[in-house]
Amino acid sequence: MRVQIIGGSGTGKSTLGKYFGKQENIKWIDTDSYLWKDNSFLENNPIEKRIEMYEKDIISNTSYVVSGSIFSWLPEGFSNRDLLVFLTLDEEERMERVRKREVLRKSLKESWLDEHGDFTNEFIEWCKTYLTESDKSQGGTFVAQSYEMELSESPILRLDSSKSVEELYNEIKQYLVKTHLI
């Protein structure tokens, strides 16, 4: 079983991926570990290092669940998946999740107040462009993910991530069984 979960920042990709991996006893791959050098989320790995990490995961695991995408720097990555899951969430709720996560990460050191009086930083400001960005080469945006789905050879399951992680997991499992993917 090979499942990839994509969606905007704050939709719960990592939470669902980690839960899914644990329930199925399969490898959970968080694509943030390819992108970032460490948990400070300040410095990116070079693309060569990301590809090396990706190839190691693909060679060593026949079953996995992936949270996130590598499409912007390796379009053919995870193309052997059985299912692509696209998480959606009300934009206000998504941004609230992002802000809370930034506070937990203590990433608001370099912050300021936005036009609504909410704390923000460069990452939060980038997250605000998820729906409005029009360049499909800009990874992590709706337009880029829509393009990735357009080119996908695997089935796509769209889920509302306002549901609990258990409900989302069960919907994915039911879909995989119903469509004979497992």
Side-chain angles (χ1 to χ4, degrees):
M1 168 182 358
R2 297 174 305 266
V3 175
Q4 183 177 10
I5 304 166
I6 64 173
S9 191
T11 56
K13 300 178 300 292
S14 297
T15 302
L16 178 57
K18 184 177 183 178
Y19 183 85
F20 194 98
K22 186 175 181 179
Q23 296 303 305
E24 295 297 314
N25 197 29
I26 60 175
K27 170 78 172 177
W28 167 49
I29 301 169
D30 186 354
T31 60
D32 280 349
S33 68
Y34 297 159
L35 183 61
W36 301 106
K37 282 194 174 186
D38 58 36
N39 287 341
S40 69
F41 304 101
L42 296 174
E43 189 177 354
N44 288 350
N45 280 315
I47 290 177
E48 299 78 28
K49 175 71 174 169
R50 297 179 213 172
I51 292 172
E52 177 186 314
M53 295 165 74
Y54 162 78
E55 288 175 345
K56 181 180 177 205
D57 280 339
I58 290 300
I59 289 168
S60 356
N61 299 285
T62 55
S63 292
Y64 55 78
V65 59
V66 178
S67 53
S69 178
I70 60 173
F71 189 76
S72 65
W73 53 268
L74 190 65
E76 66 275 12
F78 299 115
S79 59
N80 66 336
R81 67 183 168 245
D82 299 311
L83 178 65
L84 181 61
V85 176
F86 178 61
L87 297 180
T88 62
L89 186 63
D90 171 77
E91 191 64 5
E92 192 173 312
E93 185 176 348
R94 185 181 76 82
M95 288 306 302
E96 185 58 30
R97 286 183 183 183
V98 167
R99 281 187 191 88
K100 285 180 180 177
R101 186 175 65 200
E102 287 297 285
V103 168
L104 289 173
R105 287 181 178 168
K106 300 186 179 8
S107 300
L108 292 176
K109 293 175 189 162
E110 299 291 326
S111 67
W112 60 91
L113 295 178
D114 68 10
E115 66 278 5
H116 304 292
D118 294 321
F119 280 102
T120 192
N121 61 17
E122 286 184 27
F123 177 70
I124 293 171
E125 290 301 306
W126 174 79
C127 287
K128 289 178 182 179
T129 69
Y130 176 71
L131 293 174
T132 58
E133 177 60 60
S134 59
D135 181 355
K136 62 186 173 191
S137 71
Q138 296 299 309
T141 62
F142 179 73
V143 69
Q145 292 167 351
S146 295
Y147 184 58
E148 184 174 357
M149 289 187 285
E150 183 181 314
L151 297 178
S152 177
E153 294 181 16
S154 64
I156 301 163
L157 178 61
R158 299 167 196 267
L159 297 175
D160 177 352
S161 66
S162 65
K163 297 175 183 173
S164 73
V165 70
E166 295 87 3
E167 290 173 304
L168 294 169
Y169 165 75
N170 287 331
E171 285 189 47
I172 295 169
K173 281 292 289 194
Q174 288 170 5
Y175 182 87
L176 289 166
V177 169
K178 181 179 89 175
T179 57
H180 307 289
L181 292 171
I182 58 169

